[in-house]
Amino acid sequence: MNEPSPAPLSEQEMIRMEKVHKWYGAFHVLKDINLIVRKGERIVVCGPSGSGKSTAIRCINRLEEYQRGRIVVDGHELGNDVKQIEQIRREVGMVFQHFNLFPHLTVLENCVLAPIWVRKLPRRQAEDIAMQYLERVKIPEQAGKYPGQLSGGQQQRVAIARSLCMNPKIMLFDEPTSALDPEMIKEVLETMVTLAEDGMTMICVTHEMGFAKTVAHRVIFMDGGEIIEENTPEEFFTHPRSDRTQLFLSQILHN
Amino acid sequence: MAEAHPSRSEPPPASTIGAFGWLRRNLFSSPFNIALTVLALYLLYLAVPPLLRWALLDATWSGDSREACRANGGACWVFIRVNFEQFIYGFYPEAQRWRVNTALLLLILGAAPLFARAVPVKFKARLGLGLLVIYPLIAFVLFKGGLFGLRVVDTSRWGGLLLTLVIAGVGMTAALPLGVLLALGRRSRMPAIQTLCVTFIELWRGVPLITVLFMSSVMLPLFLPAGMNFDKLLRALIGVTLFQSAYMAEVVRGGLQAIPKGQFEAAAALGLGYWKTMALIVLPQALKLVIPGIVNTFIALFKDTSLVLIIGLFDLMNIVHNATTNPAWLGFSTEGYVFAATVYWLFCFGMSRYSQNLEKRLHTGHKR
Ligand SMILES: Nc1ncnc2c1ncn2[C@@H]1O[C@H](COP(=O)(O)OP(=O)(O)OP(=O)(O)O)[C@@H](O)[C@H]1O
Ligand SMILES: [Mg+2]
């Protein structure tokens, strides 16, 4: 489990980012981001706060616009057409730092909403699927509760189940554990590991280096809006190529 | 050295619980509070007994003319009793009043499931929408006639509480959706739509309702081709609706602004489009947040219907006023206005209580 699975990865590209640039006003947030993610690949993105990690992965499902470059997701190039963007978002699940569950809906309703209204599944079938995923994240008994009645860890697992109910081809995680207490981090990470074992294509922004070591095929280090280093986890942690990576690692591993 | 006591729960001191404790805490907690309490009691003593004497003890209930009220100095409720039908139906022909009653009965029967707790929400939503579309048509045909062999009753003959309820009902059911659309428009990223909505809202909020009503009845006909007759009631309805929708829009916008960005992002990430995001995620939360504001606007609207008297419509207020000027009943305007005020109060208080109840029921616990 420590080695990235030896089985040869499929050559199929799920995500291709080419020379992506983004500005917030005059502020250059993303500088020439290039990244190819193949089917089944698991990428961990790390880097200091404000380095543009969130912005970069939010470009993939077009929660953020970018001004230059191109992004191709599962063979479709992101454009400005709203319908096409919605189409791509169905295939890309996203888990947020602050869960963003819908507080006025029960856990089950949170999970079936998009399958029913976006995928047009019959309610019965959507509920069956939702219960399946809630079981997978180990909280089927909470299906009737409201998000406000759950712990942070439980909420995040519901958020993961909610994304999975859309049967996405890619999952994006933006610091899914950084708003959680230590004992809850574990339960969420375990859920993510089972996802990884099932061969989900994943991009995770996280500072959980243990997770990166065991699960990631590649680790990407960002700083100042650039990808500074891209490496296998072993190399990344033992022989980081750049000074900035070393500095970052020493800071993160020392507390 | 402090000894560790076994922890045993004791009842709170007697002076802090029960009616006595409540009195002590709330009415007699300081010399200033004691003074205020005494003053309040004195004022109540001054006001309540005479009021009770006038309204109940010395009041006249029976008889059918003003002569009956000569004897005692209290209120003459005979005035209300004799004119009651008129206060309710206005000048609606007596023989046709069953139509109004039928419409009311239909509304009560149709809407009752909406207020029953046992009925599933989904059914309520469908029923509510269905009622919203079908009921106005049914009620209109019943009130106005002209179809199915019903005699035509011109809108100028509608009056009293009936007219008040028609204006308030139409105003509320139309102003809320319109206000929601305006609020969404105001936050739209399309500049044309945004400008349009902002202009509309600011325009209507900037003028008094009375001006709107005046203009609708005095100025509008000047612009219409001669001979074209635009129903007076319809003009009032449009005026009231557009006016209140501007207020409603601002109330709803307050709710929209309180919804965290994460909710929009989560919805977008699931592939929901604009309208589905609004209808399923944002509006249910936003509207719930602003129930007090919505009901506030509804209450204002309900009371503002009384302004239609200036364009010559005989709503509850105007018809009561009209009756007090009847030579046979001169001198009983107090009774008339007390009656009108009581009716307005009952409806407004009812709305207020219902909204509190609704808020409590819709509370899904701990927000985040
Ligand atoms: N809406 C915005 N307008 C202007 N600047 C923004 C906006 N959102 C983010 N930024 C800036 O862009 C930079 C990158 O932000 P981003 O959220 O991608 O960083 P991050 O790497 O995810 O950081 P963190 O680890 O704190 O989440 C930051 O410097 C931030 O201040
Ligand atoms: Mg971030």
Side-chain angles (χ1 to χ4, degrees):
Chain A
M1 189 69 217
N2 262 336
E3 305 280 307
S5 50
L9 279 167
S10 127
E11 285 305 303
Q12 191 189 341
E13 275 179 27
M14 289 306 281
I15 300 169
R16 167 184 282 266
M17 298 176 86
E18 257 175 30
K19 302 192 175 122
V20 174
H21 289 259
K22 177 177 173 64
W23 286 265
Y24 278 122
F27 178 48
H28 203 165
V29 212
L30 295 182
K31 301 169 188 160
D32 195 32
I33 302 293
N34 291 283
L35 177 67
I36 291 175
V37 183
R38 281 167 299 167
K39 193 163 190 291
E41 212 174 2
R42 302 184 286 273
I43 313 277
V44 161
V45 181
C46 59
S49 181
S51 55
K53 310 176 297 288
S54 301
T55 311
I57 70 163
R58 287 154 59 90
C59 283
I60 295 169
N61 64 352
R62 201 51 159 66
L63 284 184
E64 300 287 353
E65 290 178 25
Y66 48 94
Q67 282 81 28
R68 211 185 314 148
R70 59 196 283 264
I71 298 181
V72 183
V73 178
D74 194 24
H76 304 281
E77 180 167 351
L78 280 179
N80 282 318
D81 177 41
V82 179
K83 284 283 157 251
Q84 190 227 7
I85 292 173
E86 281 168 18
Q87 189 75 38
I88 287 174
R89 284 175 179 164
R90 289 177 205 184
E91 312 301 336
V92 182
M94 182 157 204
V95 175
F96 301 85
Q97 181 175 2
H98 295 289
F99 332 135
N100 295 353
L101 292 176
F102 306 131
H104 63 302
L105 300 176
T106 63
V107 165
L108 187 63
E109 287 164 347
N110 262 278
C111 292
V112 299
L113 185 113
I116 289 176
W117 290 93
V118 178
R119 286 231 186 271
K120 313 281 182 209
L121 292 188
R123 174 171 290 268
R124 181 63 59 76
Q125 194 186 341
E127 283 179 356
D128 287 346
I129 294 173
M131 285 315 292
Q132 224 169 295
Y133 282 115
L134 286 174
E135 247 150 64
R136 224 168 113 197
V137 301
K138 306 209 179 68
I139 35 176
E141 71 283 357
Q142 312 285 3
K145 287 199 184 161
Y146 286 96
Q149 298 166 315
L150 305 183
S151 75
Q154 290 173 324
Q155 290 193 46
Q156 193 58 296
R157 284 184 284 154
V158 171
I160 294 174
R162 177 176 73 177
S163 286
L164 293 177
C165 284
M166 284 295 280
N167 197 14
K169 295 183 176 148
I170 302 164
M171 284 291 283
L172 307 175
F173 293 84
D174 190 0
E175 306 203 30
T177 55
S178 55
L180 298 175
D181 294 338
E183 66 272 29
M184 296 174 191
I185 291 178
K186 203 167 141 255
E187 61 189 46
V188 171
L189 288 181
E190 277 168 6
T191 309
M192 290 168 64
V193 169
T194 60
L195 255 187
E197 284 163 354
D198 289 353
M200 175 65 79
T201 310
M202 293 162 72
I203 301 187
C204 290
V205 176
T206 182
H207 292 152
E208 294 297 328
M209 290 304 142
F211 178 80
K213 275 179 199 157
T214 50
V215 173
H217 293 109
R218 271 187 292 157
V219 177
I220 285 175
F221 175 69
M222 284 183 74
D223 195 6
E226 291 174 287
I227 294 183
I228 303 290
E229 180 162 351
E230 188 179 331
N231 220 330
T232 59
E234 306 86 72
E235 286 292 303
F236 182 82
F237 290 109
T238 49
H239 309 292
R241 284 188 221 124
S242 89
D243 297 345
R244 280 200 262 179
T245 316
Q246 272 170 13
L247 182 67
F248 174 74
L249 283 176
S250 68
Q251 277 167 352
I252 228 179
L253 297 178
H254 279 139
N255 48 41
Chain B
M1 205 183 266
E3 191 127 348
H5 286 288
S7 69
R8 196 156 40 90
S9 45
E10 289 173 25
S15 60
T16 63
I17 53 167
F20 185 70
W22 185 90
L23 283 175
R24 231 177 112 107
R25 250 196 332 276
N26 293 295
L27 299 179
F28 300 102
S29 57
S30 69
F32 181 64
N33 257 355
I34 292 172
L36 277 184
T37 303
V38 171
L39 184 70
L41 284 177
Y42 178 66
L43 288 176
L44 282 178
Y45 165 77
L46 283 188
V48 173
L51 194 69
L52 282 182
R53 216 173 306 130
W54 177 82
L56 300 175
L57 300 180
D58 294 348
T60 313
W61 302 87
S62 55
D64 41 21
S65 73
R66 59 179 302 151
E67 313 310 325
C69 296
R70 282 278 155 76
N72 10 26
C76 179
W77 297 124
V78 180
F79 168 64
I80 305 297
R81 232 197 47 227
V82 169
N83 290 297
F84 190 73
E85 297 248 305
Q86 205 189 42
F87 291 169
I88 303 296
Y89 301 101
F91 306 118
Y92 209 88
E94 244 166 89
Q96 306 292 325
R97 285 180 185 166
W98 62 269
R99 282 154 53 175
V100 176
N101 297 343
T102 312
L104 183 67
L105 191 70
L106 282 177
L107 180 63
I108 292 174
L109 287 181
L114 295 180
F115 297 86
R117 220 162 272 203
V119 180
V121 175
K122 212 171 152 196
F123 179 76
K124 278 187 188 176
R126 288 207 185 135
L127 180 69
L129 275 180
L131 273 182
L132 223 53
V133 176
I134 298 170
Y135 183 76
L137 291 175
I138 298 178
F140 180 73
V141 169
L142 273 170
F143 288 167
K144 176 90 193 234
L147 279 178
F148 311 117
L150 292 172
R151 230 185 78 195
V152 175
V153 178
D154 194 69
T155 55
S156 61
R157 309 202 60 175
W158 306 9
L161 184 61
L162 161 66
L163 186 67
T164 296
L165 291 181
V166 166
I167 300 173
V170 171
M172 287 175 199
T173 41
L176 182 57
L178 203 57
V180 168
L181 287 179
L182 283 169
L184 292 178
R186 188 165 190 166
R187 283 169 55 92
S188 163
R189 270 191 261 153
M190 283 176 265
I193 293 185
Q194 201 193 359
T195 317
L196 204 72
C197 292
V198 172
T199 314
F200 181 95
I201 293 170
E202 297 306 338
L203 204 73
W204 286 93
R205 282 206 311 167
V207 289
L209 179 56
I210 226 168
T211 325
V212 173
L213 292 174
F214 254 135
M215 294 216 293
S216 77
S217 74
V218 181
M219 281 183 55
L220 203 60
L222 297 180
F223 299 116
L224 291 174
M228 180 167 168
N229 190 16
F230 207 70
D231 192 274
K232 216 198 266 180
L233 175 59
L234 184 61
R235 275 182 285 170
L237 286 177
I238 294 175
V240 168
T241 301
L242 295 183
F243 181 84
Q244 297 290 355
S245 68
Y247 280 90
M248 198 56 88
E250 289 301 278
V251 170
V252 174
R253 187 165 69 100
L256 292 177
Q257 274 168 347
I259 304 301
K261 205 163 137 243
Q263 294 288 306
F264 293 86
E265 290 177 349
L270 287 168
L272 290 158
Y274 176 81
W275 289 108
K276 282 177 190 160
T277 302
M278 290 303 158
L280 300 169
I281 310 297
V282 177
L283 283 173
Q285 297 182 58
L287 291 178
K288 189 169 80 180
L289 278 176
V290 295
I291 288 175
I294 291 176
V295 174
N296 204 28
T297 309
F298 277 176
I299 288 177
L301 187 154
F302 191 87
K303 293 188 295 187
D304 281 354
T305 57
S306 57
L307 291 174
V308 299
L309 84 96
I310 69 142
I311 59 169
L313 289 175
F314 284 90
D315 73 312
L316 177 65
M317 191 63 218
N318 199 12
I319 206 131
V320 168
H321 172 75
N322 190 55
T324 61
T325 59
N326 178 352
W329 287 100
L330 280 181
F332 295 108
S333 46
T334 313
E335 283 84 347
Y337 294 130
V338 166
F339 170 76
T342 311
V343 175
Y344 281 110
W345 184 82
L346 279 177
F347 277 95
C348 294
F349 184 66
M351 280 191 267
S352 161
R353 294 310 304 217
Y354 178 68
S355 87
Q356 281 171 24
N357 188 300
L358 197 64
E359 256 180 278
K360 228 178 274 162
R361 220 155 5 115
L362 292 179
H363 184 63
T364 53
H366 339 286
K367 307 188 177 120
R368 77 145 289 121

